[in-house]
Amino acid sequence: MKLREFLYVLLILFPVLAFSDVLPAPHNLKILRSGYRKITLQWSYDTTLTQVAHYIIYRNDLQISQVNGKEFTDSDLIPGTQYTYKIAAVTVGGQTS
């Protein structure tokens, strides 16, 4: 049996193995504090099954920072401007949620 055929059979017989490495995204993103030109965000992430190396912070779909904890302060914001934030977890092995 060729490797390609073996992998195909493996995916058919054991589909859980193929998708078990999908990481959940951080959740419960909330504003912890806000000020005139800054905002502090906080989120949750269950680290029971995965060891997180750091989190990547996105503002308006652009990566702006990475942090080790579950809190981030964004400063130098422009009053009256709408911002959207996304948080991604990165494991010790380099996988991103």
Side-chain angles (χ1 to χ4, degrees):
M1 181 180 291
K2 295 179 183 176
L3 179 62
R4 185 176 181 176
E5 293 169 345
F6 174 75
L7 291 176
Y8 180 73
V9 170
L10 185 64
L11 290 174
I12 296 298
L13 295 177
F14 302 102
V16 175
L17 292 175
F19 298 105
S20 64
D21 291 338
V22 175
L23 296 176
H27 57 282
N28 295 331
L29 179 60
K30 63 182 178 181
I31 298 171
L32 191 61
R33 291 179 294 278
S34 64
Y36 178 65
R37 297 181 66 88
K38 66 182 179 178
I39 188 170
T40 300
L41 305 172
Q42 185 180 57
W43 57 90
S44 301
Y45 191 79
D46 183 12
T47 56
T48 305
L49 300 176
T50 57
Q51 188 175 5
V52 174
H54 59 271
Y55 298 91
I56 299 174
I57 315 300
Y58 296 90
R59 181 191 337 126
N60 297 340
D61 293 323
L62 297 174
Q63 182 178 340
I64 59 169
S65 187
Q66 74 179 37
V67 296
N68 294 325
K70 297 177 190 170
E71 189 174 302
F72 170 73
T73 299
D74 193 6
S75 55
D76 294 327
L77 300 176
I78 300 170
T81 303
Q82 182 176 353
Y83 297 99
T84 58
Y85 292 87
K86 295 177 186 174
I87 313 298
V90 179
T91 67
V92 174
Q95 287 183 297
T96 304
S97 63

